[in-house]
Amino acid sequence: MDAETLRKAKEELIKRVEDFYGNNLLSVVFYGRHLHDPNFPEIDVVVIIDKPYDPVKMNRMADFVENIRDPIEEKYGYHVSFELYTREEAENFHSGYLDVFVNYEIAYDRDGYFEWLKEEMLNPKTVMKHVQYLSTIEYIPVDREDRE
């Protein structure tokens, strides 16, 4: 594994993603250690599609594994660790975003969607509406003036 092999693997991965999802694709974002170490044997990627083409998330993930992940792993020897979200899923906070936002490389971003998503997830004024998705406890904003 070297920088050239990594570059080729990522280029083919992007092409496969674009070919498979077509106009439904919103963003492809690489993140993680491979961005600084081409010898690291894993490529981390987030793929966001607009609408679910299959209502069952496990089916969508199986399609990704069969059509994108497995061919790249077999051909280039890198393990492909992926997150696959629909727009609706992406717009709810995921703790994995914290790793992505620290160190990422945008490979495809239709209409600046991922950049918007990042700003939305890191915005202190809107973050609680996203975090409540993770909890069974409903977040109820309290107007401070009403308490006084």
Side-chain angles (χ1 to χ4, degrees), residues 82-143:
F82 70 95
E83 300 289 334
L84 175 64
Y85 301 119
T86 62
R87 177 189 295 263
E88 181 180 1
E89 292 163 347
E91 292 177 10
N92 290 293
F93 183 83
H94 299 276
S95 60
Y97 286 163
L98 300 176
D99 288 335
V100 175
F101 294 156
V102 168
N103 182 33
Y104 65 92
E105 172 187 282
I106 297 174
Y108 178 89
D109 196 25
R110 188 172 85 201
D111 301 325
Y113 178 76
F114 181 78
E115 285 295 339
W116 170 84
L117 181 66
K118 176 186 167 194
E119 293 303 315
E120 182 73 9
M121 291 299 144
L122 297 178
N123 182 342
K125 293 179 181 175
T126 60
V127 74
M128 284 311 293
K129 82 175 182 179
H130 302 294
V131 173
Q132 74 182 357
Y133 175 78
L134 298 175
S135 173
T136 58
I137 301 170
E138 184 177 352
Y139 170 74
I140 301 170
V142 177
D143 186 0

Side-chain angles (χ1 to χ4, degrees), residues 1-144:
M1 293 181 202
D2 57 30
E4 182 62 18
T5 304
L6 176 62
R7 183 189 63 75
K8 288 179 180 177
K10 288 168 65 174
E11 283 178 0
E12 186 171 333
L13 191 149
I14 294 165
K15 179 161 179 17
R16 285 178 172 275
V17 168
E18 289 176 335
D19 289 348
F20 189 79
Y21 296 109
N23 292 333
N24 198 27
L25 181 62
L26 288 176
S27 300
V28 178
V29 180
F30 293 108
Y31 68 99
R33 187 169 166 191
H34 80 272
L35 295 177
H36 298 292
D37 181 1
N39 295 315
F40 190 69
E42 181 174 283
I43 298 172
D44 296 308
V45 64
V46 174
V47 175
I48 304 172
I49 59 176
D50 192 16
K51 295 179 176 63
Y53 60 89
D54 185 316
V56 180
K57 183 170 178 127
M58 289 304 293
N59 291 345
R60 295 190 311 264
M61 294 180 76
D63 285 344
F64 189 94
V65 166
E66 181 182 338
N67 294 286
I68 299 164
R69 189 198 73 183
D70 285 356
I72 296 298
E73 288 185 353
E74 290 168 17
K75 184 172 181 178
Y76 296 98
Y78 285 93
H79 172 69
V80 177
S81 177
F82 70 95
E83 300 289 334
L84 175 64
Y85 301 119
T86 62
R87 177 189 295 263
E88 181 180 1
E89 292 163 347
E91 292 177 10
N92 290 293
F93 183 83
H94 299 276
S95 60
Y97 286 163
L98 300 176
D99 288 335
V100 175
F101 294 156
V102 168
N103 182 33
Y104 65 92
E105 172 187 282
I106 297 174
Y108 178 89
D109 196 25
R110 188 172 85 201
D111 301 325
Y113 178 76
F114 181 78
E115 285 295 339
W116 170 84
L117 181 66
K118 176 186 167 194
E119 293 303 315
E120 182 73 9
M121 291 299 144
L122 297 178
N123 182 342
K125 293 179 181 175
T126 60
V127 74
M128 284 311 293
K129 82 175 182 179
H130 302 294
V131 173
Q132 74 182 357
Y133 175 78
L134 298 175
S135 173
T136 58
I137 301 170
E138 184 177 352
Y139 170 74
I140 301 170
V142 177
D143 186 0
R144 292 177 188 211

